[in-house]
Amino acid sequence: MEIDFSIAQLLGFVSFGLGLSTFYQKDDRKLKVIMLIFNINHLFHYLLLGSVMSAVGASLSALRTGASIYTSSKYIAAIFIVVGLSLGLYMANDWWELFPIIGTTIGTYAMFALNGIRMRICFLVGATCWLTNNILVGSIGGILLEITVITMNIFTIYRLSKNEKCSDEQQAV
């Protein structure tokens, strides 16, 4: 049991490293590819922690991220959202177990319907749901990850905003 917990926490720290790389990306496609790897790692992390709902959220995140690399169909997004919310409501034993499902749902909408700054703002909201979940399930790497993801997303939003402002100024000239 202690070994599983140690391996689980180790995988949480691997997710922490992948998450740092994911949300620093300015290129949306690179962000999604790294996020796919991150979600798969996170799936195993949560299974070892014994958090089934978190693992369900990570599984759905991996599937939707993989799909979002190839399509931006809002129809596909709607399917993932309906499946995620249905599974979450069916499987959750307590209301607080829905935090990873809500975070995944917000991320799904962001992946398929948004890009650039708007996508990253939704990631901020989703990260807040996952931060709450990680505190509740005891994921040390996950807590560090979400705090850092929130910070890095704010920084990336600033960088993208600055790039847009410079581009607008150049077009005005």
Side-chain angles (χ1 to χ4, degrees), residues 11-160:
L11 288 177
F13 283 106
V14 170
S15 287
F16 177 64
L18 288 167
L20 293 178
S21 179
T22 298
F23 289 100
Y24 190 71
Q25 300 301 314
K26 288 170 67 174
D27 178 87
D28 290 349
R29 182 169 172 78
K30 286 181 184 176
L31 180 147
K32 292 175 183 181
V33 169
I34 296 169
M35 184 178 279
L36 174 62
I37 297 164
F38 158 77
N39 287 323
I40 293 167
N41 184 76
H42 236 37
L43 164 65
F44 292 109
H45 167 66
Y46 289 125
L47 285 174
L48 288 172
L49 282 178
S51 179
V52 174
M53 290 304 291
S54 301
V56 168
S59 299
L60 290 168
S61 293
L63 291 171
R64 69 103 208 272
T65 301
S68 77
I69 293 169
Y70 300 103
T71 182
S72 60
S73 168
K74 292 180 183 174
Y75 175 74
I76 299 296
I79 291 170
F80 278 108
I81 289 169
V82 168
V83 168
L85 290 174
S86 298
L87 277 174
L89 291 171
Y90 176 75
M91 293 178 68
N93 294 316
D94 292 297
W95 66 268
W96 56 266
E97 290 182 318
L98 293 174
F99 279 112
I101 301 302
I102 295 167
T104 298
T105 300
I106 293 168
T108 298
Y109 177 75
M111 284 283 198
F112 285 92
L114 305 173
N115 57 33
I117 293 172
R118 283 187 247 158
M119 180 174 68
R120 285 162 179 86
I121 289 171
C122 276
F123 287 157
L124 286 172
V125 177
T128 303
C129 292
W130 279 101
L131 174 61
T132 304
N133 174 73
N134 290 332
I135 291 168
L136 293 170
V137 301
S139 171
I140 299 166
I143 292 167
L144 294 172
L145 169 68
E146 298 305 336
I147 290 169
T148 305
V149 162
I150 289 167
T151 304
M152 290 184 75
N153 254 320
I154 291 169
F155 179 69
T156 303
I157 290 167
Y158 170 76
R159 290 185 321 147
L160 290 171

Side-chain angles (χ1 to χ4, degrees), residues 161 163-173:
S161 176
N163 287 349
E164 283 181 11
K165 187 183 286 187
C166 289
S167 178
D168 290 343
E169 288 173 2
Q170 288 175 350
Q171 288 177 358
V173 173

